[in-house]
Amino acid sequence: MRVRLLGPVDAVVGGAPVPISGLRRKAVLAVLALHGEGIAGTGRLIEAAWGDKAGRASLNTLQSHVSALRRVLGNRNAIVARPPGYLLDLGPGTTDVTEARRLVERGECDDDPAQSATTLRAALALWRDRSLVDVGGMAWLDEQAAALERLRTRAQLALIRARLALGEHAQLEPDLERLARARPFDEQVHAQLMFALYRTGRQADALSVYRRLRTALADNVGIDPSQRLRDLEIAILRQDPALDQSAHAVRLLAGCAS
């Protein structure tokens, strides 16, 4: 049994997806699942699920939703009443979020780029849509959704690093161009794009990417690129032979903070 949050909120029971009806009920399940093995207090559950209408929600209403969720999950012990609230108790692998975090961390730490890429692809496959896509508009859940989307981006960038280490520079250029447009101040994305362009013989384009980022940072944030990114620009200008050693270069890219 697993609760899924990386997309619409639902549950997988007996290997089959089971939809959850009602916005509030989905929100209650999402809050419980996001607390992992911790207790979600009744105040947090009501505030997160009802938002600015929390004053109209009663403890009885919350209990009604919890009872309905237990029926959906097919196990009255799946949600345990434990002061000051409730605990989701589904055993190992409770949520797709837990599995995604585990896979991302494992993929980032793997020294074998091929295995790292396989692990990170498995992590990214857990996202079926935007995180918590059908419970938007509730402040606390919106914050959690943003954090889960940052985890997704982290996995995407780690996968790109692994693929760069495998020599897939040309294949990655379109994706990196798209990411750079979507994240105009993200140094890591731009460093990866610079590296991919350089490795495909487009030195001038790689340097143009650096200048574009430098201008964007100066005009919008009032800062210069990091020293690590400036070092990458110098290495490209000098055609540093170290850039032809994928492992060394990818370690440099991993250090470029966004």
Side-chain angles (χ1 to χ4, degrees), residues 80-95:
V80 181
R82 188 167 296 172
Y86 293 92
L87 170 70
L88 186 67
D89 186 13
L90 302 181
T94 298
T95 71

Side-chain angles (χ1 to χ4, degrees), residues 85-227:
Y86 293 92
L87 170 70
L88 186 67
D89 186 13
L90 302 181
T94 298
T95 71
D96 56 356
V97 172
T98 302
E99 179 68 2
R101 286 179 177 142
R102 183 184 70 82
L103 289 171
V104 172
E105 289 172 4
R106 195 174 85 188
E108 286 180 325
C109 295
D110 201 319
D111 291 331
D112 179 350
Q115 184 57 54
S116 173
T118 297
T119 302
L120 291 163
R121 284 191 177 100
L124 288 166
L126 293 170
W127 271 268
R128 295 161 289 123
D129 201 329
R130 287 185 295 107
S131 305
L132 301 167
V133 66
D134 51 354
V135 290
M138 302 174 184
W140 189 82
L141 287 170
D142 284 346
E143 290 175 5
Q144 303 306 308
L148 293 173
E149 288 303 294
R150 288 194 293 272
L151 178 66
R152 187 183 195 176
T153 299
R154 178 177 147 193
Q156 290 170 333
L157 295 178
L159 176 57
I160 289 171
R161 286 198 302 272
R163 293 181 62 193
L164 287 171
L166 292 169
E168 299 180 18
H169 314 98
Q171 300 97 310
L172 283 166
E173 279 181 24
D175 289 340
L176 285 168
E177 290 278 12
R178 175 183 56 78
L179 275 172
R181 287 193 298 271
R183 301 171 65 86
F185 311 126
D186 190 318
E187 289 199 359
Q188 187 173 1
V189 169
H190 285 76
Q192 290 176 332
L193 177 57
M194 289 165 64
F195 179 62
L197 289 168
Y198 178 78
R199 287 293 298 270
T200 53
R202 298 172 60 187
Q203 180 186 21
D205 290 335
L207 295 170
S208 177
V209 167
Y210 175 82
R211 290 192 294 271
R212 183 177 71 197
L213 175 64
R214 182 181 61 195
T215 299
L217 288 174
D219 291 349
N220 294 277
V221 190
I223 61 174
D224 293 323
S226 68
Q227 183 62 53

Side-chain angles (χ1 to χ4, degrees), residues 23-28 31 45-52 134-145:
L23 174 63
R24 308 301 177 194
R25 195 164 296 167
K26 290 178 182 179
V28 169
V31 174
L45 284 160
I46 290 173
E47 179 186 2
W50 277 267
D52 57 6
D134 51 354
V135 290
M138 302 174 184
W140 189 82
L141 287 170
D142 284 346
E143 290 175 5
Q144 303 306 308

Side-chain angles (χ1 to χ4, degrees), residues 65-83:
H65 282 300
V66 169
S67 295
L69 287 169
R70 285 170 174 153
R71 290 193 295 272
V72 170
L73 296 173
N75 181 355
R76 67 186 312 272
N77 296 317
I79 302 175
V80 181
R82 188 167 296 172

